[in-house]
Amino acid sequence: MAEKSAGDGRAAGAAGAEGTAEIGRRVLRLRTERGFTQRQLAEPAYTAAYVSTLESGKVRPSEAALRHLADRLGITYEELSTGRSPQDATRLRAGLTDARRTLATGDTEDAAARFAALGAEADRLGFTEERAAALLGSGDCAMETGELIVARDHFEAAEKLLADEPLPRRVPALRGRAVSHLLAGELRYSCYLLESAIDELNASGMHDPNALLLLYTASIAPYMDMGAHGRAVRAAELSLALAPSVDNPELVAQMHRGVARTLIAEGRTAEADASLAKAQELYEQLRLRTDLAHCHWMRGYVHAQDGDLERAESELRTARDMLASKRAALFMVQVEVELADVLRRRGRTAEAEALLRPLLARSGDTGADAVELTAEQLTAERGAVHAGGAHRLLGLIADERGDAEGAEEHYCAALSLLERTGAAGDLADLCRLLGDLLRREGRLEAAMDAYRTGLGHRAAPGTTTLGPAPAEPPIGH
């Protein structure tokens, strides 16, 4: 029987990144568990002395040696060479699916703890794909609770793990990062991330429909907030064209939600409500509770646009209750801003004001009579667009009761917040409100300045912050 040479053992890189000593300890442990002698494990291709040398960490086994030993030990080559078994991967993936289900239907903090534990185990075992999936889940949990910097860190870490993978594999992490920037009020950068990825996909010929649908759908919200309505409509049109090629119902539901935003802006509220109904049906089937709450939120907004304030209030309260049960703090307080607007329009200004004031932190971005800092608030770095909306509503309430000083203070606070985000349409409306207030106060020069600023925001919405539109996929060509 010819004993394999040490050179043969050193030549193999098949053992992966595992150290020689670690592989030796693994062979010793498995041999002992199975009750084999070194000779029984070695024969017929190797000697007991070779196994002894291997177990002591003095020789690195070749691929052929590892395959022989794995076969004798009754395990896979991968399990012996890396310490990972197919069962480990299956167990991790099942755990990730369960954590996703918890995030969709249960407690966000519980889901976050599960993702963290699964991520740590995947990291220890060297499962890159599962580690990245756990980071994505952790990012989604952090977004629900409003921890936007934490969410962004998780998404960036997932992107780095998948750096060598094709772009479509990295798109979910990139999209998560873009949405976290959007929620922080960084609309321009959110657009930049999404458009850059769309350009890269289309220019390189990687016309992956799932990845493109995810990106186009995500781009609608920042486009709309920046006043780039033409781009938002085109993104919605491309999303609708891509949808038949996508078999992921969650992606299709997200598409219907995004398309509804453009329909609302065009005054096509019946079509928008129909689109939201389709999304709601899919989310109910998938039991995605937070996304379902977003549908109720948007349907409330549609009813408010139609003047059906009673139905709007009902839908918004449903959304708020669902988000509260999920502890989705940031989304919940954003809904409360929309609800406060409906309450004000229904003549219940005291209720609206009581709802709004706790949402704003005592900082440089708020009015002088804001309440003490709480856990669920809107700031310049956390929901800036809705923080501006809250100040706008408080300004309207103050204006309606004749408190010109308080109204001006809130309008200016809203302008300060929204100027950072580039939300062109909201900025123009605020400039009009401020101009009207100043004109009534007899401050005509200041009023003219406010009107001019508003006209500047309306003149070419979106074009001052966005470059050329991204390339389009060859749909229908």
Side-chain angles (χ1 to χ4, degrees), residues 187-196 198-199 212 215-240 258-259 261-263 265-266 460-473:
L187 307 185
R188 298 177 189 84
Y189 192 62
S190 179
C191 284
Y192 166 76
L193 289 174
L194 296 167
E195 289 190 341
S196 298
I198 290 170
D199 263 336
L212 284 169
L215 292 169
Y216 279 122
T217 301
S219 69
I220 291 172
Y223 282 156
M224 293 294 293
D225 286 342
M226 292 181 71
H229 298 145
R231 290 201 187 183
V233 169
R234 186 56 183 154
E237 290 170 349
L238 290 168
S239 296
L240 285 166
V259 168
R261 278 206 67 169
T262 65
L263 295 171
E266 295 174 350
T463 58
T464 58
T465 52
L466 300 174
E472 296 187 0

Side-chain angles (χ1 to χ4, degrees), residues 59-72:
V59 62
R60 187 175 185 84
S62 66
E63 179 180 346
L66 279 176
R67 291 193 181 279
H68 166 80
L69 296 172
D71 183 62
R72 296 286 291 159

Side-chain angles (χ1 to χ4, degrees), residues 156-191:
E156 286 178 352
E159 277 191 87
K160 288 178 182 176
L161 272 180
L162 301 173
D164 295 329
E165 296 291 329
L167 180 57
R169 294 281 305 280
R170 290 181 273 124
V171 160
L174 190 148
R175 179 256 182 195
R177 189 154 61 97
V179 172
S180 68
H181 282 288
L182 168 66
L183 292 173
E186 298 162 357
L187 307 185
R188 298 177 189 84
Y189 192 62
S190 179
C191 284

Side-chain angles (χ1 to χ4, degrees), residues 42-117:
E43 292 180 342
Y46 299 87
T47 66
Y50 176 71
V51 172
S52 176
T53 305
L54 189 156
E55 289 180 347
S56 65
K58 296 177 180 177
V59 62
R60 187 175 185 84
S62 66
E63 179 180 346
L66 279 176
R67 291 193 181 279
H68 166 80
L69 296 172
D71 183 62
R72 296 286 291 159
L73 291 166
I75 61 174
T76 65
Y77 162 72
E78 181 187 38
E79 186 174 355
L80 184 59
S81 61
T82 67
R84 304 191 303 259
S85 70
Q87 290 77 18
D88 286 330
T90 301
R91 178 173 49 77
L92 280 171
R93 288 168 190 160
L96 288 165
T97 299
D98 188 54
R100 274 282 166 199
R101 189 177 301 112
T102 301
L103 176 59
T105 63
D107 186 87
T108 305
E109 291 181 7
D110 184 16
R114 295 187 185 201
F115 280 124

Side-chain angles (χ1 to χ4, degrees), residues 81 269 279 374 383 453 456 470:
S81 61
T269 51
T374 65
T453 302

